[in-house]
Amino acid sequence: MIRLKSISLNELILIFTALCSSIILLSITYYFWRLGIGPTPSGSGARKVIIDSILEKLKEGLSSHSGSHCPTVYELGSGWGGLTFAVAGQIQEVPSLKLQTRLRAYELSIVPLLCSKFMLNIFSRLKHITLPTKIIYGDFIEVFDEVNQGDVLICYLCPQQMQRIAKRLQANQKPMGVCLITLTFALPHHNAVLIRRMTNLYRDPLYIYQV
């Protein structure tokens, strides 16, 4: 009769950890293959330029609408949530914006989505964030069915996903009146109203569009 070797608690923990790691890796790899891009974080320098651009556009929007419009900032593909947290924290510091602005971040990759949702709860409590902020599971293309004039969209995507955005915008009969801010990759068939350069080694561009 064959006797099965008993497994220690440490071995069980090791097996469980390896299994979880494999599942996480497979999930991230699958979504990288499906979407053409993985959850790539933007650098701290890029975040600062993006946030400065967002605040500038939000203040312009509130001025032109005489305070009657409550703008929403949409992040198209929020990954691990680093930019989401940074944007929420900075808007929170501006009294004229924090009471009238919402933040909505969209992500499809399950692992980064769950991690960022968990971290958002911790971040909001530690930093006392009252800005209405949600991280949502879904395709960011759905955003274009709900945006309003004066809203701001931000993204750090690959050319394949930028092409999807361009096709969606072509379907509109008239301009939407929203600002689109995109890091590194341009929006096909559109002319940026402003291009800013990062201070990093590659001088990555930040494109700002009015669409």
Side-chain angles (χ1 to χ4, degrees):
M1 181 176 178
I2 299 175
R3 304 181 83 182
L4 296 176
K5 180 184 176 181
S6 60
I7 300 177
S8 68
L9 178 59
N10 287 339
E11 289 174 326
L12 283 173
I13 293 174
L14 184 61
I15 292 171
F16 178 76
T17 302
L19 181 61
C20 289
S21 300
S22 299
I23 292 172
I24 290 171
L25 181 60
L26 285 172
S27 175
I28 292 174
T29 302
Y30 167 73
Y31 281 101
F32 181 87
W33 168 79
R34 177 181 171 186
L35 302 174
I37 187 173
T40 308
S42 53
S44 58
R47 287 178 191 173
K48 184 182 184 307
V49 178
I50 292 171
I51 291 170
D52 287 346
S53 301
I54 293 171
L55 296 178
E56 181 182 309
K57 289 298 177 181
L58 288 175
K59 289 174 182 176
E60 286 177 5
L62 289 178
S63 272
S64 61
H65 287 84
S66 303
S68 61
H69 175 64
C70 294
T72 300
V73 177
Y74 293 95
E75 185 177 2
L76 313 182
S78 55
W80 300 103
L83 181 58
T84 306
F85 308 148
V87 171
Q90 288 300 309
I91 293 178
Q92 178 81 11
E93 297 297 319
V94 184
S96 62
L97 295 178
K98 73 175 184 179
L99 297 177
Q100 302 187 64
T101 308
R102 302 183 308 162
L103 178 57
R104 299 289 181 265
Y106 281 76
E107 179 57 45
L108 267 177
S109 186
I110 296 296
V111 175
L113 174 83
L114 296 177
C115 288
S116 57
K117 276 179 169 287
F118 174 74
M119 291 304 297
L120 177 62
N121 289 328
I122 297 175
F123 176 80
S124 297
R125 292 178 183 178
L126 290 177
K127 300 293 184 179
H128 306 290
I129 300 296
T130 57
L131 181 78
T133 304
K134 288 184 179 179
I135 297 176
I136 302 164
Y137 173 75
D139 186 352
F140 61 73
I141 287 296
E142 299 169 4
V143 164
F144 293 94
D145 294 325
E146 60 183 76
V147 293
N148 295 300
Q149 186 174 359
D151 289 342
V152 178
L153 290 77
I154 55 175
C155 60
Y156 179 23
L157 300 168
C158 63
Q160 174 186 335
Q161 297 300 325
M162 295 306 298
Q163 194 68 247
R164 290 184 68 213
I165 294 176
K167 288 181 179 179
R168 176 61 183 82
L169 290 172
Q170 285 176 357
N172 294 334
Q173 298 297 322
K174 59 181 180 179
M176 305 175 75
V178 302
C179 173
L180 173 64
I181 300 171
T182 171
L183 178 62
T184 304
F185 298 107
L187 180 65
H189 316 302
H190 289 75
N191 294 319
V193 295
L194 182 63
I195 301 176
R196 290 176 171 162
R197 292 282 173 179
M198 303 300 104
T199 56
N200 59 15
L201 177 64
Y202 301 103
R203 302 281 294 165
D204 295 324
L206 182 77
Y207 300 95
I208 301 177
Y209 299 90
Q210 199 66 32
V211 296

